[in-house]
Amino acid sequence: MNSFGFNILFFVAIFTKVAKSYPLQYDEEFDDSMPDLSYLGHRVFKEPSVETGKLVETWNATSDINPEELGEYAEGDIRFPKVARNGMIAETLRWKDGIIPYKIDGFFDIDSLNSIKRAMDIYHKYTCIKFRKKNDDDDDYVSIVNSNTGCWSSVGRIGGKQEVNLQSPACTSRVGTPMHELMHAAGFLHEQNRFERDDFVDIAWSNIRKGHESNFDKADSSTTTGYGVPYDFRSVMHYSGTAFSTNGKPTIIPKDSSKTEKMGQREGFSKGDITKLNQMYKCPDKTASITGNSQSTNSGTESHEISQVENKDSSNPLVNLAQGIIQALFHK
Ligand SMILES: [Zn+2]
């Protein structure tokens, strides 16, 4: 073997070792309920992409897919800064007491700010996650930005400032996209990449755009959990059925043909999403008080009702004006 080949092999061996052993790199705050991200590999470190931004710019709401499915990042919209906490590999933690400090650093118009605020309000109503403005004592926080590089977030708390990019208007046009990216920031991965997804859906590999097959890799079964929630077609973390399609044909097909719910909805949380958030952040009582039955985790009509309730826009101009003033204050 020549030295180049040896070097490549050596690099792969080292990388594999790092990826396999990195959970041991967590500090004392290590929380074993957070997912192992090593299956995402080096793809999570892609630089913000202007090409993605151009695709997202031409997206419109009549599209069958979501703008976060247009990205060249890991699984479309997961990206970490190049160097993580210890310079090793993407690692993640839960947010202490479910409090996620944030700062709006991008310039957004009122509609986009409304969408982001509405997304946070929905978290506050249905979960014990609390988004609050960053103060000087907050070392770790989410910076919400609006660069022309698509919709993306890292997963969980990574330490220091971490960005959630919401390229407007595409990434803010439906409240479900900010909710989706913030749910990544809270610590969740995509629903269709659950380790047991092959029991529920078929992946049509031949319909996937060449080079994007890894977006359908499955998460590690030993470190990810569905918190007792069955595979959830209506999760706000599920891709649309034609995500990353090369020919417009489905890439994700339910095994049970009676499952006719739309995959990839971005109208609001499913009941399962709420349960999972409250389980991760240890406040199942909140789920129980909302659903009336913490054991019932199917995502059916109730989630649809949640979506509908949360998407009633005010048509009163005075209310809209008041909201605009509030939002202007909210921005600063
Ligand atoms: Zn995503």
Side-chain angles (χ1 to χ4, degrees):
M1 182 183 298
N2 62 30
S3 65
F4 176 74
F6 179 79
N7 283 342
I8 291 287
L9 258 187
F10 182 72
F11 173 78
V12 168
I14 290 291
F15 183 80
T16 305
K17 183 163 174 43
V18 167
K20 291 246 183 275
S21 63
Y22 92 90
L24 301 176
Q25 304 295 329
Y26 282 117
D27 57 23
E28 66 283 356
E29 294 173 282
F30 172 67
D31 184 333
D32 63 0
S33 71
M34 293 301 281
D36 179 349
L37 304 174
S38 57
Y39 81 101
L40 294 168
H42 62 280
R43 300 188 298 277
V44 293
F45 297 119
K46 284 198 175 161
E47 292 295 324
S49 157
V50 174
E51 284 68 38
T52 293
K54 286 177 185 162
L55 285 175
V56 169
E57 203 174 324
T58 58
W59 178 90
N60 70 65
T62 62
S63 173
D64 287 337
I65 61 170
N66 294 306
E68 58 269 38
E69 294 157 10
L70 292 169
E72 291 300 317
Y73 311 107
E75 297 187 6
D77 67 336
I78 296 174
R79 75 166 293 271
F80 280 67
K82 191 70 182 170
V83 179
R85 184 186 302 256
N86 59 10
M88 299 291 281
I89 194 168
E91 61 176 30
T92 187
L93 297 166
R94 204 187 283 174
W95 293 86
K96 191 168 185 311
D97 300 328
I99 296 169
I100 305 182
Y102 72 90
K103 189 162 178 277
I104 306 275
D105 283 324
F107 183 80
F108 294 93
D109 64 16
I110 289 295
D111 287 343
S112 293
L113 280 175
N114 267 326
S115 178
I116 296 165
K117 178 157 192 317
R118 217 147 55 86
M120 291 179 180
D121 286 345
I122 294 169
Y123 275 84
H124 298 163
K125 183 169 181 183
Y126 291 105
T127 79
C128 56
I129 301 270
K130 175 68 185 162
F131 291 96
R132 68 150 168 76
K133 283 191 198 175
K134 172 197 181 303
N135 62 43
D136 290 344
D137 295 329
D138 293 317
D139 295 326
D140 302 340
Y141 70 100
V142 169
S143 166
I144 301 179
V145 288
N146 178 12
S147 73
N148 289 332
T149 58
C151 330
W152 48 260
S153 175
S154 35
V155 176
R157 176 170 65 92
I158 64 172
K161 168 177 149 178
Q162 66 185 74
E163 292 182 331
V164 168
N165 196 71
L166 296 169
Q167 178 178 342
S168 69
C171 307
T172 53
S173 68
R174 294 178 187 139
V175 73
T177 297
M179 289 170 74
H180 176 106
E181 298 305 337
L182 292 173
M183 198 159 161
H184 280 314
F188 285 88
L189 294 163
H190 290 125
E191 186 71 7
Q192 77 287 330
N193 294 34
R194 283 172 67 144
F195 64 88
E196 78 279 50
R197 65 105 193 277
D198 292 337
D199 295 338
F200 301 92
V201 294
D202 288 317
I203 302 300
W205 297 100
S206 59
N207 292 339
I208 295 172
R209 216 157 65 233
K210 201 165 165 22
H212 293 74
E213 294 85 354
S214 61
N215 288 350
F216 295 84
D217 286 352
K218 286 182 286 186
D220 187 323
S221 63
S222 63
T223 65
T224 51
T225 171
Y227 293 98
V229 178
Y231 188 88
D232 184 3
F233 292 90
R234 273 194 59 78
S235 170
V236 80
M237 301 309 282
H238 203 295
Y239 281 170
S240 53
T242 54
F244 304 99
S245 177
T246 191
N247 50 19
K249 292 181 181 170
T251 50
I252 309 171
I253 303 165
K255 281 187 180 293
D256 179 351
S257 57
S258 70
K259 291 280 179 194
T260 54
E261 308 125 283
K262 176 178 159 57
M263 291 180 283
Q265 66 82 19
R266 294 293 181 268
E267 305 304 316
F269 284 138
S270 70
K271 191 171 164 186
D273 292 330
I274 293 169
T275 301
K276 282 187 280 190
L277 280 158
N278 287 326
Q279 291 282 339
M280 177 182 277
Y281 283 92
K282 302 194 189 307
C283 45
D285 291 352
K286 182 103 180 175
T287 304
S289 67
I290 293 158
T291 65
N293 180 2
S294 63
Q295 298 305 308
S296 174
T297 50
N298 293 323
S299 55
T301 50
E302 188 159 352
S303 64
H304 189 55
E305 285 165 15
I306 289 169
S307 306
Q308 288 181 327
V309 166
E310 297 309 335
N311 280 291
K312 277 183 186 161
D313 281 320
S314 168
S315 56
N316 183 331
L318 280 177
V319 171
N320 286 340
L321 176 64
Q323 279 183 342
I325 294 167
I326 291 166
Q327 292 311 317
L329 294 169
F330 170 78
H331 183 251
K332 276 296 149 196

